[in-house]
Amino acid sequence: MDVVRAPVRAWAEEILRGLGDPPLRNLVVESRPESGEVEVVLWFPDGTAAGSYLQAAMTDAEAVVHLADGLQDAAVEQALGRPLPPCPGHPHPPSARLVSGVPAWACPRTGGAVRPILAPP
């Protein structure tokens, strides 16, 4: 993966919109050129934060899944456990996974894709 800050920020913003756009948050995306990584940190007003490091060896699809997983954890915690995004017909949230090579939200119970994490280009 050619980890570049601009696409990672766009991915993170789209993922956050899909998670209900947690209010009063600050998204920080920083490149680490020496390691080829991109660090993504989501800060909340109470001082809590959640972060993800995207490694240079990741494919774009793997990076999106990793990023979605970390952002989902932070959003669910801020939503006091409410499932984000909702998993149709279930009380749990879907999991970020690769489904046929596409980053998708998938039901952890059935394994079936709920929807793509990012809108198709």
Side-chain angles (χ1 to χ4, degrees):
M1 173 177 78
D2 180 18
V3 283
V4 179
R5 193 169 62 173
V8 171
R9 175 171 285 285
W11 295 341
E13 292 289 357
E14 185 172 344
I15 291 165
L16 288 168
R17 280 191 298 277
L19 294 171
D21 206 8
L24 303 174
R25 48 111 178 136
N26 183 29
L27 179 66
V28 178
V29 179
E30 294 184 2
S31 297
R32 303 274 184 237
E34 66 283 354
S35 64
E37 297 176 332
V38 173
E39 178 185 21
V40 180
V41 180
L42 187 61
W43 288 93
F44 293 96
D46 64 2
T48 60
S52 295
Y53 282 93
L54 305 180
Q55 308 292 322
M58 292 177 167
T59 65
D60 285 357
E62 291 168 335
V64 168
V65 168
H66 183 73
L67 183 58
D69 185 52
L71 293 174
Q72 180 188 38
D73 287 347
V76 168
E77 187 172 321
Q78 288 295 312
L80 304 174
R82 187 168 45 103
L84 297 172
C87 188
H90 299 134
H92 55 256
S95 300
R97 296 188 185 160
L98 281 179
V99 177
S100 300
V102 175
W105 295 113
C107 178
R109 184 178 302 156
T110 67
V114 173
R115 66 178 173 84
I117 293 173
L118 300 177

